[in-house]
Amino acid sequence: MPVVEIKTNVKSADSQDFTAKVAHAVAKLLSKPVSYVMAFVTYAPSMTMGAEGSPAAYVGIDSIGAVGGSKNNTIAAEITDLLGAELGVAADRVYVHIRDNDRNDIALSGKTFA
């Protein structure tokens, strides 16, 4: 934990290099080892925003702690900047959904983190 999911209509996003950059960025932002981060990118060619198909992205970040309050503004800004620099997605076309999960609700290796 954390898990980062990106859905975008930008084809070049679907690469190991970009996914690794996302994992390292989130690890740094949340002060967690990159070995704990799962990141994946899904190419969604039919994605629209405002019924228009220009580059856009949805980012979901799930974590146990290390998120919330004003920290979320920093996380959202950094991730949005990364998508702009790497994929050319304008900031006003990126939704970032940050969730703080309870240890009882997330499992790894067949057991929860509780």
Side-chain angles (χ1 to χ4, degrees), residues 26-95:
V26 169
K28 182 178 177 185
L29 285 164
L30 302 185
S31 299
K32 302 219 177 186
V34 73
S35 61
Y36 289 8
V37 178
M38 176 182 282
F40 58 97
V41 178
T42 303
Y43 174 54
S46 63
M47 177 182 276
T48 63
M49 185 170 181
E52 201 264 307
S54 303
Y58 166 84
V59 182
I61 300 173
D62 284 273
S63 184
I64 297 172
V67 298
S70 62
K71 177 131 180 130
N72 287 359
N73 285 323
T74 302
I75 294 166
E78 293 284 333
I79 294 301
T80 299
D81 288 350
L82 178 65
L83 292 175
E86 294 290 324
L87 305 180
V89 179
D92 65 349
R93 297 192 51 84
V94 178
Y95 273 115

